[in-house]
Amino acid sequence: MPEILLREALKRGLEEALESDPRVFMMGEDIGEYGGAYAVTDGFLKKFGPERIKDTPISEQAFLGAGIGAAAAGLRPIVEFMSISFTLVAFDQIVNMAANLRYMSGGQISVPMVIRAPTGAGVQLGATHSQSFETWLAEVPGMKVVCPSNPYDALGLMRSAIKDNNPVLVAEPALLYGAKGEVPDEYYEIEIGKADVTREGSDITLVSYGYGMRPVNDAADKLASRGVSAEVLDLRSLSPVDMDAIVASVQKTNRVVVVDNARRRGGVMAEIAADLQERASEWLDGPVMRVGSIDVPWPYNRGLEREVLVDADNVLTAVADGYGL
Amino acid sequence: MASSTKSNSKTAKSSKNGKKSGTAGLDESVVTSKVDHLELFRQMFLIRQFEIACGENYSKGLIRGFLHLYIGQEATGVGAISTLREDDYVVSHYRDHGHALARGLDVNRSMAELFGRATGTSKGKGGSMHLFDAAKGFMGGHAIVAGQLPLAAGLALAQQYNKTDALTICFFGDGSTNQGIYHETMNLAAVWKLPVLFFLENNMYGMGSSIERVRAGGIDFYPGMATYGIPAAEVDGMDVLAVKEATEIAVERIRDGEGPQFIEAKTFRFSGHSLADGQKYRGQDEVKEWEERDPVATFPAQLIKRGLVTSDQIDEIKTEVNEAVAKAVEFAEQSPDPDLPEIYNDVLA
């Protein structure tokens, strides 16, 4: 199977949609002439023209809001944010408008819009550019949230997101744009709301998503070298989240560590941990262990930032603390 | 206030602005045109009676939440919306009953929505501030101040993208103008030449704050549009024909591909911000002064005086409207509450 970068997988998904559906168009800061801050839309302006590849002013509220209006009128906008931290500027539009519009109108209006945003720390951008607000938006009813951890998932999830009739946030791990992976030429989609068991095991379940899959996979390798068989789940979607898959795995392994690349407090994994207490405590041999990045603003210094980020050792420590493995 | 229309310099230079919209009143050009005066009156009176009924039923506890009445502002919504086509979109703010009725939303279902009933326009899940009828292009009452502006820009973007000559009208109040998103949207719409008509209903107060207290630069907003290169006009919002004519000019320009236009109507709400408002922040003299210019009273009086309609015709409309509103209240009251499983519907498509 051919190997491509995650950036190229996203690009393929976007390009296909622009080619096959005239209702699809893109908006964002410097996605046209400049080619996109992470080069995902490089060459699009030339290929699809300025009506479909729209450079916007630095007005996140206005262009995200315009995406909502265009979607409400039947188009299928794909709106790019340069950083998921910038979605904060447009949170009113995303939450109050995009996510609530269908419900408030009694089902009369839908918002088939994709919001793309690079997420996560690790490239020394400091506190305002390193956050992971997919965890906040995963709480909001009326929208969906996905986050790929590899090129195969990036393409499959992007295809599904563009076809979806709801607002869908595609959180793109900034550290993974250059990650390589196998992507088949044959068409496929990945269903939103389904987790992927990326590694079968019998002794402990490790759950994460996006960039968090790196420390989790490293930890699973290290556990394997010690004879501990870890089952690994990649959530792929944070909303809806596939609790059934997590519970099923826990019923098999009786042990679980949930790992959030975002800050530990108040994230998606906190919610999953709470759900597991209710749904799977009788299957568990110990506490639901939760790992996340340290609850501080993101520091700039490389050493400090690395320390705040979750790594495989953090995961292994939780495995040992919770279950003595 | 004078009834003449002022424009910013860009508008004034435009060749199409030869006629002054605000002088319309009942001058000869309008009298001889094909304006359906009785229909304009019917809509204004319907809104007035609907709002009075809302107030009564709020007092009875049958309507809850926040209730913002449009009483006093009828001429703006009716005059503006009367110029539109079926394929145009209308976007409103939380004082949205008037725009909804002027756009032809079903009176019964609108009232039922306020009562929170299953037969309401949003099945009882939207309420007073969130009326919708997508089939009629009425894309909502929106309750985050200025939050509806980019929605309107986006609807207009779709109209432009689809290469139609349809347009979107967006109503907002003076309170919206101090939100950042207001300025963002004006710029975006101008840069992209979107077919959107920004319609400011300047009723002089953002809840309890008079414009003078919260805005530097006085009570006029339309001159500021020069910053964005958006042609802007001011109109007397108590004069339904003046509003209609000003809107017609703007609508024609938008359909001709000239991009966004801006109208500022000076108007006034006769009652408080919401039913919870004791109006401690303004004197009753000011209210009385504006009430003397009440369009629901002055417009039919002028029509009769000019011999354009008879008082019998006006009375007939009043009787019809009063019956319709009474029926709407009855319909709403007798409609069932939504079933509890309705909670889970319409979250996702």
Side-chain angles (χ1 to χ4, degrees):
Chain A
M1 229 189 291
E3 280 203 340
I4 61 172
L5 305 180
L6 186 138
R7 170 189 294 122
E8 294 164 340
L10 293 169
K11 187 171 187 173
R12 190 193 289 182
L14 297 168
E15 208 158 14
E16 279 174 7
L18 285 161
E19 280 165 355
S20 64
D21 188 344
R23 298 169 303 171
V24 173
F25 72 101
M26 296 188 66
M27 289 195 280
E29 290 154 356
D30 279 321
I31 64 168
E33 299 273 357
Y34 188 97
Y38 290 88
V40 174
T41 56
D42 194 30
F44 278 21
L45 179 63
K46 200 170 169 197
K47 185 165 180 187
F48 299 107
E51 283 178 13
R52 301 184 69 197
I53 306 298
K54 298 179 100 67
D55 275 326
T56 66
I58 303 171
S59 303
E60 281 88 0
Q61 302 192 77
F63 70 71
L64 191 277
I68 298 167
L75 299 183
R76 304 187 81 85
I78 299 169
V79 181
E80 177 177 313
F81 283 88
M82 216 178 268
S83 160
I84 207 163
S85 288
F86 304 171
T87 63
L88 294 187
V89 179
F91 245 51
D92 169 55
Q93 287 295 314
I94 298 173
V95 178
N96 270 321
M97 194 64 89
N100 284 341
L101 205 43
R102 185 173 168 80
Y103 199 78
M104 288 194 299
S105 67
Q108 295 183 64
I109 298 172
S110 298
V111 183
M113 174 177 66
V114 171
I115 304 169
R116 297 179 45 233
T119 185
V123 281
Q124 287 191 263
L125 297 175
T128 59
H129 283 55
S130 305
Q131 301 162 103
S132 301
F133 291 124
E134 69 274 7
T135 61
W136 285 10
L137 287 165
E139 182 276 332
V140 178
M143 65 181 297
K144 298 180 180 180
V145 178
V146 302
C147 183
S149 68
N150 58 73
Y152 179 88
D153 288 5
L155 178 55
L157 289 170
M158 183 59 79
R159 284 168 171 160
S160 298
I162 296 170
K163 280 190 171 179
D164 204 282
N165 287 323
N166 298 288
V168 182
L169 171 70
V170 180
E172 304 169 357
L175 273 177
L176 296 181
Y177 279 119
K180 246 187 186 181
E182 291 186 334
V183 175
D185 290 329
E186 301 79 50
Y187 187 85
Y188 65 94
E189 289 173 20
I190 292 177
E191 188 182 347
I192 295 175
K194 292 280 180 233
D196 182 26
V197 179
T198 57
R199 180 170 184 146
E200 296 213 12
S202 54
D203 296 330
I204 188 162
T205 300
L206 305 178
V207 181
S208 193
Y209 72 91
Y211 185 76
M213 293 306 294
R214 275 210 175 158
V216 160
N217 285 328
D218 290 349
D221 287 343
K222 286 181 180 167
L223 287 169
S225 67
R226 289 197 238 138
V228 176
S229 160
E231 177 144 302
V232 177
L233 262 76
D234 183 342
L235 289 179
R236 288 177 165 170
S237 299
L238 307 186
S239 178
V241 72
D242 192 354
M243 277 309 297
D244 289 347
I246 302 170
V247 171
S249 179
V250 167
Q251 285 174 346
K252 190 165 96 179
T253 63
N254 310 117
R255 301 179 185 92
V256 64
V257 176
V258 295
V259 181
D260 214 329
N261 187 56
R263 285 192 279 263
R264 183 172 180 275
R265 197 159 176 268
V268 172
M269 295 305 165
E271 186 61 29
I272 289 171
D275 259 10
L276 282 173
Q277 306 286 1
E278 291 174 353
R279 289 185 57 178
S281 56
E282 64 188 293
W283 301 93
L284 283 166
D285 291 346
V288 177
M289 294 302 291
R290 178 164 55 109
V291 182
S293 293
I294 298 175
D295 293 315
V296 293
W298 287 96
Y300 161 69
N301 173 275
R302 185 177 170 81
L304 298 184
E305 186 183 42
R306 285 286 161 97
E307 180 61 18
V308 173
L309 262 178
V310 167
D311 60 19
D313 286 343
N314 300 139
V315 179
L316 292 171
T317 302
V319 171
D321 288 352
Y323 300 98
L325 292 175
Chain B
M1 187 196 337
S3 66
S4 66
T5 296
K6 300 176 209 156
S7 306
N8 72 16
S9 56
K10 174 151 181 171
T11 310
K13 273 184 219 154
S14 165
S15 60
K16 278 186 185 155
N17 202 38
K19 59 178 177 179
K20 284 197 160 190
S21 51
T23 53
L26 280 171
D27 75 11
E28 297 312 310
S29 67
V30 174
V31 171
T32 53
S33 72
K34 287 176 189 163
V35 176
D36 189 344
H37 297 107
L38 282 175
E39 176 58 17
L40 293 176
F41 171 70
R42 189 193 67 78
Q43 289 185 18
M44 291 200 292
F45 190 70
L46 170 63
I47 294 167
R48 175 64 55 90
Q49 297 309 102
F50 185 92
E51 295 296 61
I52 289 171
C54 287
E56 288 167 1
N57 285 284
Y58 192 83
S59 305
K60 288 183 193 169
L62 290 166
I63 297 174
R64 304 302 297 266
F66 289 138
L67 180 68
H68 309 91
L69 301 181
Y70 199 62
I71 291 174
Q73 300 185 206
E74 291 89 346
T76 57
V78 167
I81 291 171
S82 71
T83 66
L84 302 180
R85 294 193 320 222
E86 275 183 22
D87 58 346
D88 295 328
Y89 287 118
V90 178
V91 175
S92 177
H93 42 70
Y94 52 77
R95 197 177 304 285
D96 58 347
H97 309 171
H99 305 123
L101 295 175
R103 188 55 172 172
L105 264 69
D106 185 78
V107 183
N108 291 354
R109 294 191 60 211
S110 300
M111 186 64 83
E113 184 60 33
L114 271 62
F115 275 60
R117 303 302 164 98
T119 54
T121 42
S122 295
K123 307 177 201 169
K125 295 194 286 193
S128 164
M129 301 189 286
H130 308 118
L131 295 176
F132 288 87
D133 190 340
K136 286 196 157 70
F138 188 76
M139 304 305 270
H142 297 278
I144 302 296
V145 174
Q148 76 276 21
L149 273 86
L151 178 84
L155 292 164
L157 174 61
Q159 290 164 323
Q160 180 189 63
Y161 188 94
N162 291 328
K163 306 201 187 319
T164 71
D165 69 343
L167 61 87
T168 300
I169 187 167
C170 182
F171 292 96
F172 52 97
D174 43 280
S176 303
T177 62
N178 287 326
Q179 293 273 30
I181 200 168
Y182 168 84
H183 302 279
E184 286 189 18
T185 307
M186 292 302 158
N187 180 62
L188 189 80
V191 167
W192 287 351
K193 277 190 162 261
L194 298 177
V196 57
L197 172 51
F198 295 111
F199 198 107
L200 166 57
E201 295 179 293
N202 182 351
N203 69 10
M204 313 291 166
Y205 289 88
M207 196 161 150
S209 299
S210 72
I211 298 167
E212 288 101 327
R213 283 204 290 127
V214 296
R215 180 176 191 264
I219 64 165
D220 294 331
F221 294 88
Y222 67 95
M225 286 302 106
T227 303
Y228 308 106
I230 297 178
E234 183 196 36
V235 68
D236 177 2
M238 308 307 273
D239 181 342
V240 67
L241 295 178
V243 172
K244 185 177 173 64
E245 199 183 349
T247 311
E248 273 166 356
I249 293 168
V251 161
E252 192 188 322
R253 288 177 175 179
I254 294 170
R255 294 206 203 285
D256 283 349
E258 291 183 30
Q261 307 283 316
F262 183 101
I263 293 175
E264 172 174 0
K266 293 290 199 310
T267 182
F268 204 78
R269 58 172 157 75
F270 296 164
S271 47
H273 165 73
S274 73
L275 268 278
D277 177 6
Q279 298 191 71
K280 284 183 281 188
Y281 51 86
R282 66 185 189 188
Q284 282 307 299
D285 287 353
E286 185 190 8
V287 178
K288 273 190 194 126
E289 224 169 86
W290 280 90
E291 275 176 346
E292 279 167 22
R293 308 185 51 233
D294 180 356
V296 176
T298 58
F299 183 58
Q302 284 176 327
L303 292 176
I304 292 166
K305 195 174 157 195
R306 291 271 183 145
L308 292 167
V309 305
T310 65
S311 56
D312 283 353
Q313 284 175 300
I314 295 293
D315 289 343
E316 205 174 298
I317 287 174
K318 286 184 174 175
T319 306
E320 271 171 34
V321 164
N322 285 331
E323 278 170 15
V325 171
K327 257 179 146 172
V329 171
E330 197 182 314
F331 173 83
E333 233 180 324
Q334 288 174 0
S335 290
D337 283 323
D339 293 332
L340 292 182
E342 187 58 49
I343 290 170
Y344 302 100
N345 294 338
D346 307 321
V347 179
L348 290 169

